[in-house]
């Protein structure tokens, strides 16, 4: 069963809404001192702030709710169920991953060696060909 260690912290969920509703924004003059061009039409001249889009507001609400719920420390109370999984399976999986990485690194080195070998042989063939053409 799910229980909360500190359920009284859930009272803080409406706190941002209350702060936004109770505190008045800073007093601004009715007309702005600057006229803004149409490119900056979304900018509020009186307060100097951009309006917040809906998805950003929703993301902020979701983050606040997650923070408050995490701070309230939800805990699962009851008997823990033992998972029937042996450590042998985990060890075999780790070995398989290590072997595949080693094979990948080995194949890359071999490919590099073959590439260098081909480049060296091409250069030697070119030099030998030039030496044959010289009188």
């Amino acid at each position: 069963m799910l229980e909360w260690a500190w359920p009284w912290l859930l009272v803080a969920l409406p706190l941002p809404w209350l702060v936004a509703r109770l505190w008045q924004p800073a007093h601004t003059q009715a007309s702005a001192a600057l006229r803004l061009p149409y490119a900056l039409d979304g900018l509020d001249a009186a307060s100097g702030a951009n309006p917040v889009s809906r998805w950003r507001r929703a993301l902020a609400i979701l983050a606040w709710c997650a923070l408050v719920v995490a701070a309230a420390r939800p805990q699962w109370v009851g008997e823990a169920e033992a998972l029937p999984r042996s450590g042998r399976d985990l060890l075999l999986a780790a070995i398989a991953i290590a072997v595949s990485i080693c094979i990948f690194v080995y194949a890359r080195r071999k490919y590099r060696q073959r590439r260098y070998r081909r480049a060296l042989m091409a250069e030697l063939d070119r030099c030998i060909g030039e030496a044959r053409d010289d009188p």
Side-chain angles (χ1 to χ4, degrees), residues 14-93:
L15 190 62
W17 181 78
L18 287 173
V19 168
R21 295 291 179 239
L22 296 178
W23 281 2
Q24 296 294 325
H27 181 66
T28 58
Q29 296 177 358
S31 64
L34 293 175
R35 289 188 172 196
L36 299 172
Y38 290 111
L40 301 175
D41 194 24
L43 187 68
D44 187 10
S47 67
N50 284 328
V52 179
S53 65
R54 286 185 178 185
W55 68 271
R56 282 191 179 179
R57 186 179 306 266
L59 185 64
I61 290 171
L62 181 68
W64 176 254
C65 289
L67 180 72
V68 171
V69 167
R73 292 188 58 194
Q75 297 173 349
W76 192 262
V77 178
E79 292 184 24
E81 295 180 16
L83 297 175
R85 180 154 196 154
S86 66
R88 180 174 172 239
D89 294 339
L90 183 63
L91 181 63
L92 288 176

Side-chain angles (χ1 to χ4, degrees), residues 2-25:
L2 187 67
E3 288 188 6
W4 302 95
W6 300 320
W8 53 269
L9 278 176
L10 295 176
V11 174
L13 275 174
L15 190 62
W17 181 78
L18 287 173
V19 168
R21 295 291 179 239
L22 296 178
W23 281 2
Q24 296 294 325

Side-chain angles (χ1 to χ4, degrees), residues 122-133:
E123 186 65 26
L124 284 175
D125 287 343
R126 188 186 63 80
C127 290
I128 290 172
E130 287 178 1
R132 286 184 186 162
D133 292 341

Side-chain angles (χ1 to χ4, degrees), residues 87-105:
R88 180 174 172 239
D89 294 339
L90 183 63
L91 181 63
L92 288 176
I95 290 172
I97 291 171
V99 167
S100 65
I101 291 172
C102 290
I103 289 173
F104 175 73
V105 170

